[in-house]
Amino acid sequence: MESMVFSSLIFLFAYLPAVLLLYYITPRKGKNLILFVVSLFFYAWGEPIYVLLMLLSITLAYLFGLLIGEYRKENPRRAKLFTVLSVCISLSFLLFFKYYNFFALNLSRVPMVNIPTIAGLALPIGISFYTFQIISYTVDVFRKDCAVQKNYINFGAYVTLFPQLIAGPIVRYTEIDEQLTHRRESAREFATGVFRFVVGLSKKVLIGDALAAGFVYFQDSLSVSPSVAGAWLTVILYSLHLYYDFSGYSDMAIGLGHMLGFSFPENFNYPYVAKSITEFWRRWHISLSSWFREYVYIPLGGNRVGTFKRYRNLAIVWLLTGFWHGADWNFVLWGVYFAVIIITERAFLLHLLEKLPRAVGHLYSLFLIGVGFLIFSHHDLRVAFSTFLALFGVGTDGFISSTGLYTLIRQAPLILISAIGATPLPKQLWERAQAKHPRLQAVAVALCILLFGVCVAYLVDSTFSPFEYTQF
């Protein structure tokens, strides 16, 4: 059975209305229980057996949290032991399901080593995200950054909360602790959530999926009639597709949070306007970058150590960031790729970029981001390398084929719209218009209804299209 996703008719017209009805008719004391139960149901829709794994992870983290809270004052060493055990157990589940076959397959290439793989070992959906959330709670309790959550239902609701369960944003416990017990829903918050959700749905269905279709076409064409333009368009279309797909999911998650009275952290801040790769990663998947900075980079010493160790810390963080995305060599290379760039920027390149015109830094960033996503999107590194060479005319049949030109002309309006939409310009123009004409609020409501209707029409006529980051 396919997992339930936000951009599915079953979610929009059955699950979500039922959840909202149950949530709002339930007294306040029972709302977290409702969220816990419906979130488990949401998860179990596609993978019922792995609900047991999730419940085990929640229960162990909850119990360890109680033990850490009990001993962190009187016996810090014992509290630290429980913290290490909790983190190791949580990571062991992630490592086994996500990486066992990868390590078994690669280690078995070593002479005299034969580690059997496990056929049918599926990756539990969302395990990379909820494992990091559990770890953030455990570490924050040990650090005394938050109080121990003694209510099992509240803790379970935090871990399983369905809006951000599958693909983030990664919500640290300290960001939501107060909201678990003291949030207040309102009509204004609900309306804000609906609008944000519809914007995200539109980004995914109307733009992201259309960009994906163009990417698949030009990617396939490279194997038949490789061209320079085809290679560039695979890079451009995939980069835009991934942004609209993933940021669309984050918008929908944040919107659903508002509907339920929660305020989740932002996950994107117009990353393609960055003028350096360092800035790009402050704007892209913000919750993941923040998590690694808080729980890996700073504990390793962060910027408080010497130059060599600082660069070593960056290398470790980016190797782990790449590997977090998937058990394949292209993700490892992707992490190493960005590690090298960011270390180079920290060493001297940022100072140089600051002296150059902003357009130079912007073009530099877009090119390196595109190459990074070229690695990211190809499990076969040979294909990725041949596509990279094709960007500069190596191994191509020409600049563009006649069918490629026809497809480009058809795709051009979509590419232009999506490129502009990836900048702050549309939002700025809308805010200025609203400031001058307050009655535009009614137009926003009408536009929201129209966009939702168009999205539904597309969903009725389309095949299942999961979000990219649900596979991580």
Side-chain angles (χ1 to χ4, degrees):
M1 184 185 294
E2 294 171 344
S3 60
M4 190 185 303
V5 295
F6 299 159
S7 57
S8 65
L9 296 175
I10 189 74
F11 177 85
L12 295 172
F13 292 102
Y15 178 83
L16 183 57
V19 167
L20 292 174
L21 177 62
L22 283 171
Y23 181 78
Y24 277 97
I25 65 173
T26 301
R28 181 151 305 278
K29 289 184 178 181
K31 288 187 183 297
N32 284 347
L33 175 60
I34 289 295
L35 289 179
F36 189 24
V37 173
V38 299
S39 295
L40 289 173
F41 178 83
F42 177 86
Y43 187 83
W45 183 265
E47 296 180 337
I49 188 64
Y50 285 137
V51 168
L52 299 177
L53 175 65
M54 176 180 278
L55 286 172
L56 177 61
S57 299
I58 291 168
T59 302
L60 290 174
Y62 170 76
L63 294 175
F64 274 119
L66 295 177
L67 291 170
I68 295 165
E70 181 178 348
Y71 289 105
R72 64 185 178 183
K73 288 184 180 180
E74 299 177 359
N75 194 334
R77 287 187 178 181
R78 185 169 293 183
K80 186 175 183 178
L81 173 63
F82 288 133
T83 301
V84 172
L85 284 173
S86 180
V87 170
C88 288
I89 290 172
S90 294
L91 284 177
S92 69
F93 295 146
L94 176 63
L95 290 171
F96 175 74
F97 284 97
K98 192 168 186 176
Y99 302 106
Y100 174 82
N101 279 344
F102 173 80
F103 283 115
L105 184 64
N106 284 280
L107 289 174
S108 293
R109 294 174 178 172
V110 178
M112 307 298 291
V113 176
N114 184 22
I115 303 174
T117 58
I118 301 175
L121 182 63
L123 176 67
I125 294 175
I127 190 171
S128 299
F129 290 88
Y130 74 70
T131 297
F132 273 23
Q133 294 195 172
I134 286 173
I135 291 173
S136 79
Y137 167 77
T138 302
V139 174
D140 287 345
V141 168
F142 174 72
R143 291 174 174 176
K144 302 178 184 178
D145 290 340
C146 66
V148 178
Q149 178 54 262
K150 296 181 179 180
N151 187 307
Y152 180 81
I153 298 300
N154 289 353
F155 182 68
Y158 156 68
V159 176
T160 64
L161 204 56
F162 76 88
Q164 40 74 230
L165 171 65
I166 303 299
I170 300 170
V171 181
R172 292 166 52 191
Y173 183 77
T174 52
E175 295 171 324
I176 204 173
D177 181 16
E178 188 72 15
Q179 298 177 53
L180 284 170
T181 51
H182 296 96
R183 66 185 180 278
R184 286 293 180 268
E185 305 81 11
S186 68
R188 185 181 183 85
E189 278 289 297
F190 190 89
T192 299
V194 170
F195 185 77
R196 186 70 179 268
F197 180 87
V198 172
V199 168
L201 181 65
S202 302
K203 288 167 74 172
K204 159 66 176 173
V205 175
L206 304 182
I207 301 180
D209 286 354
L211 290 165
F215 162 72
V216 169
Y217 169 82
F218 284 106
Q219 184 184 47
D220 291 344
S221 71
L222 287 175
S223 62
V224 179
S225 179
S227 66
V228 175
W232 280 100
L233 285 165
T234 59
V235 170
I236 293 169
L237 287 165
Y238 184 79
S239 298
L240 287 170
H241 155 68
L242 191 61
Y243 169 72
Y244 278 93
D245 187 273
F246 191 20
S247 69
Y249 182 98
S250 294
D251 286 337
M252 296 167 80
I254 292 168
L256 288 167
H258 280 296
M259 292 184 209
L260 300 169
F262 290 93
S263 178
F264 296 149
E266 293 293 337
N267 214 20
F268 288 86
N269 182 23
Y270 303 105
Y272 292 151
V273 304
K275 60 181 186 295
S276 69
I277 298 303
T278 300
E279 182 185 354
F280 170 77
W281 281 106
R282 294 192 187 112
R283 294 172 173 270
W284 177 282
H285 205 345
I286 298 169
S287 63
L288 180 65
S289 301
S290 299
W291 194 95
F292 273 110
R293 183 179 64 249
E294 184 68 27
Y295 300 105
V296 179
Y297 184 68
I298 292 176
L300 286 172
N303 294 327
R304 304 183 307 276
V305 294
T307 302
F308 173 78
K309 288 186 177 180
R310 185 163 66 249
Y311 294 158
R312 178 208 63 185
N313 296 344
L314 286 170
I316 291 172
V317 165
W318 281 100
L319 182 63
L320 292 175
T321 300
F323 208 37
W324 176 88
H325 280 83
D328 214 329
W329 286 112
N330 68 307
F331 295 118
V332 176
L333 179 60
W334 182 75
V336 172
Y337 170 82
F338 277 114
V340 171
I341 295 172
I342 289 175
I343 289 172
T344 304
E345 288 189 348
R346 292 284 184 93
F348 67 90
L349 195 53
L350 278 178
H351 298 293
L352 177 61
L353 289 171
E354 289 173 358
K355 297 177 181 179
L356 296 174
R358 183 177 179 84
V360 175
H362 186 57
L363 291 173
Y364 149 87
S365 300
L366 288 176
F367 175 73
L368 292 181
I369 292 164
V371 173
F373 284 142
L374 178 62
I375 299 169
F376 186 89
S377 61
H378 286 83
H379 295 287
D380 189 334
L381 291 174
R382 292 171 299 180
V383 176
F385 185 64
S386 65
T387 304
F388 175 77
L389 293 178
L391 295 173
F392 307 100
V394 179
T396 61
D397 296 335
F399 183 75
I400 192 169
S401 65
S402 56
T403 54
L405 178 60
Y406 173 72
T407 305
L408 172 59
I409 293 172
R410 290 180 56 205
Q411 290 278 322
L414 174 65
I415 295 173
L416 180 61
I417 291 170
S418 58
I420 295 172
T423 72
L425 182 61
K427 183 179 179 181
Q428 292 171 354
L429 292 175
W430 176 255
E431 289 176 348
R432 290 175 188 173
Q434 275 192 314
K436 292 181 179 179
H437 307 285
R439 293 184 179 180
L440 278 178
Q441 192 64 35
V443 176
V445 173
L447 182 62
C448 184
I449 296 172
L450 176 63
L451 284 174
F452 182 75
V454 174
C455 287
V456 170
Y458 268 79
L459 291 172
V460 169
D461 195 42
S462 67
T463 56
F464 177 73
S465 177
F467 289 88
E468 288 277 351
Y469 262 69
T470 59
Q471 64 182 304
F472 305 133

